[in-house]
Amino acid sequence: QKEVEQDPGPLSVPEGAIVSLNCTYSNSAFQYFMWYRQYSRKGPELLMYTYSSGNKEDGRFTAQVDKSSKYISLFIRDSQPSDSATYLCAMRDAGGTSYGKLTFGQGTILTVHP
Amino acid sequence: GAVVSQHPSRVICKSGTSVKIECRSLDFQATTMFWYRQFPKQSLMLMATSNEGSKATYEQGVEKDKFLINHASLTLSTLTVTSAHPEDSSFYICSARALGGGPLNEQFFGPGTRLTVL
């Protein structure tokens, strides 16, 4: 079983739709949760990160963490064609020997069509 | 913002040759750099973690004699793929973590290098 599971999609939505992206994880040591956006043939860029359970909002993006269920989500409101990319969840523990090491989900390919 | 560059962006080589990829942090000092490999439509898989001035730590299953990592300064790390074979063809991405990177210790990613071994 992978430590982080993410549905690879692909996911295709019309412009303006609300997009929901999700990851589940099995390692209870994970404390930091991140969402990255990766355009084709580019490196990932950090969109949002959260530390505790709950919601965090930034513009059209909302990140949600439920540690009890080991489940994280990213919601995109009013999706735009420019949001078309691969979205990767990533997470890491608080420190120790694996300090800084990120574990990524497989990534979900999102296409927002006009 | 923090910028990480990689060079080259794309390389094609013959089987059996060695290829060097550079990763540079342009506007900050990186105590730690990470090297990832990404196959098409798959996630980033961490290959190794390198700290400036010390030997790299390789993930399980990654051959350290095949993937040589040198982190000679706080702004430069190199990955050398030795005796490359077609199965080494992949997208190689580095990331760099700054000194005193705060509670998140954010990694900043380079744009990646596409390696094709013929």
Side-chain angles (χ1 to χ4, degrees), chain B:
Chain B
V3 179
V4 176
S5 70
Q6 277 184 245
H7 178 79
S9 58
R10 183 177 297 184
V11 58
I12 301 172
C13 69
K14 293 182 179 179
S15 185
T17 60
S18 293
V19 174
K20 180 185 283 189
I21 302 170
E22 291 187 350
C23 176
R24 292 182 185 271
S25 56
L26 298 185
D27 51 2
F28 67 100
Q29 292 184 322
T31 50
T32 306
M33 288 186 172
F34 302 86
W35 286 95
Y36 296 84
R37 181 166 51 184
Q38 186 177 34
F39 291 107
K41 297 185 179 181
Q42 293 191 25
S43 187
L44 279 74
M45 298 300 296
L46 180 65
M47 298 175 67
T49 302
S50 74
N51 292 293
E52 186 265 339
S54 62
K55 291 184 179 180
T57 302
Y58 290 81
E59 294 299 300
Q60 191 173 8
V62 178
E63 300 175 57
K64 62 180 180 180
D65 294 330
K66 181 170 182 63
F67 298 99
L68 302 178
I69 291 171
N70 185 359
H71 192 163
S73 76
L74 286 172
T75 59
L76 173 65
S77 177
T78 60
L79 168 68
T80 301
V81 183
T82 62
S83 187
H85 290 282
E87 57 266 30
D88 298 324
S89 298
S90 188
F91 194 50
Y92 291 87
I93 304 175
C94 73
S95 70
R97 189 172 68 208
L99 279 168
L104 179 62
N105 282 293
E106 183 179 351
Q107 294 180 30
F108 300 94
F109 286 83
T113 296
R114 173 76 56 192
L115 170 63
T116 302
V117 184
L118 302 176

